[in-house]
Amino acid sequence: MRLIKICIVLLLLAQTALAQETKLAATPPMGWMSWNIMSENPNQKDIKEMADAMISSGMVKAGYQYIFLDDCWQGGRDNKNNIIADPKKFPSGIKALADYLHSKGMKLGIYSDAAPLTCGGYTASLNFEDQDAKTFASWGIDYLKYDYCNAPEDVETAKKRYGKIAQALRKSGRDMVLGICEWGPREPWNWGAQVGGQSWRTTYDIRDKWLDTEGKGGVGIYNVVDKMAGLASFSGPGKWNDGDMLVAGLHGTKGPSSAFKGVGCTKAEYQSQMSLYSMLNSPLYASCDIRKMDDEARTIFTNAEVIALNQDALGKQAERKIKTDIWDVFVRPLANGDFAIAILNKSASTQNASVNFAELGLTGKYELKDLWQHKVVGKNNKWNGEVTAHETKVFRLKKV
Ligand code: GLA
């Protein structure tokens, strides 16, 4: 009898813990990340300007709440081993920045690493997990991106180190989302949620290009999509496959995204990334300079009907139902009973698509709304039409 009671209590505790995790990142986090534009020099002046631009451009209203402050903010540790920000970059400290963002209805993410030093060679959190989590909580941090440079390659160590920081965050007294960033080699989708993470990067760093065929580390948009397409079963509320930064607006001009022939993408390609990352429930974070963002990027980032797929309460990542040399077709159910489909032309020229919904498991007729044209384009059990090179057509289907 006593054993049964203990089991029930343990079960209830486990359920509460699960509910707590799901409350964190119940939908994919959205925001802007400093890494690409600021790299070695994130600083309070530019970050505040970026936050103001996020508001004035309509990004915050569209749902991009977070500023993800990436690597290179750190200034070492003080004489009590508390991690501190570089006083030249952040003269008012990180708490003042978090307060500023919170006062604008925004949130602040920060960055550390599961080793003594980060990828950029700055102070990181190994063996200071509890202390750093408390510091982050006291600053009002809402999210931690936790990288894996300078750490051992085996899976067990990664699970242990991510588990340790996850527990430290939970004990800190503040809700902070944990974004696992070990780039995929240890297949974090298999264990990320179990150790307490809410998302995990699925590939090495994305570059500003459509496709990498050289395999030397320069991942393009479609490489990420192709990887994430196979990981649908691991994703759900509070546990997201993370495709890395949105590259719209970069045009091959700046930052780490330009490495490995990151020469820029066409409008169709940037738009496809937004469409497909929304279908696949990746966290959405812009990486271009929002202060100087062009209309093309703004239109891509702020498409409310596409964002609604990404933020849908059901949280069901799209499945790839068709994969040929030319086409990828994705389907997902939505919370209100509608479906969304995405039709990607992977070839280098315009193609005529002919998709019968029955092939996708959708029987009967549907009203079709084109989410880039923002209009209903028919009532049918199929869609035929042109799709340009690397373009993705996205439709919301309502049963009729
Ligand atoms: C790694 C990550 C990037 C970025 C840099 C910072 O490469 O994958 O996203 O955070 O480190 O040094």
Side-chain angles (χ1 to χ4, degrees), residues 33 35 70-72 111 118-120 145 147 149 181 183 201 203-205 244-245:
M33 186 169 280
W35 176 238
D70 207 273
D71 202 357
C72 314
Y111 168 100
T118 67
C119 298
K145 171 175 174 180
D147 219 330
C149 280
C181 179
W183 329 292
R201 281 266 303 275
T203 67
Y204 288 105
D205 298 5
D244 201 7
M245 306 180 289

Side-chain angles (χ1 to χ4, degrees), residues 277-281 308-319 330-334 338-341:
Y277 277 34
S278 294
M279 288 292 284
L280 297 169
N281 283 344
L309 307 180
N310 181 266
Q311 297 292 304
D312 186 73
L314 199 57
K316 188 102 177 67
Q317 177 177 323
E319 284 183 29
F330 295 88
V331 185
R332 62 177 291 174
L334 297 165
D338 291 355
F339 290 89
I341 66 172

Side-chain angles (χ1 to χ4, degrees), residues 97-109:
L97 181 61
D99 289 347
Y100 181 77
L101 295 179
H102 291 151
S103 77
K104 306 269 176 192
M106 297 179 72
K107 293 182 172 182
L108 181 60

Side-chain angles (χ1 to χ4, degrees), residues 10-71:
L10 285 177
L11 202 72
L12 286 175
L13 281 175
Q15 273 178 348
T16 317
L18 200 71
Q20 164 80 357
E21 299 297 312
T22 310
K23 189 174 67 139
L24 284 177
T27 60
M30 294 171 65
W32 174 87
M33 186 169 280
S34 68
W35 176 238
N36 200 56
I37 289 299
M38 299 183 183
S39 301
E40 286 274 329
N41 188 29
N43 62 81
Q44 88 183 30
K45 176 180 166 289
D46 287 332
I47 296 266
K48 273 178 149 179
E49 282 179 18
M50 208 62 73
D52 294 344
M54 295 279 286
I55 295 166
S56 60
S57 62
M59 292 284 281
V60 172
K61 199 158 165 237
Y64 297 82
Q65 267 189 316
Y66 285 92
I67 294 280
F68 298 106
L69 173 56
D70 207 273
D71 202 357

Side-chain angles (χ1 to χ4, degrees), residues 9 79 106 114-115 168-169 183 196 208 218 225 253 260 265 278 282 290 293 306 322 334 354 380:
V9 170
N79 57 10
M106 297 179 72
L169 292 175
W183 329 292
D208 186 8
V225 167
T253 47
F260 296 99
C265 297
S278 294
S282 173
I290 303 294
M293 176 167 64
V306 169
I322 293 175
L334 297 165
S354 173
N380 217 324

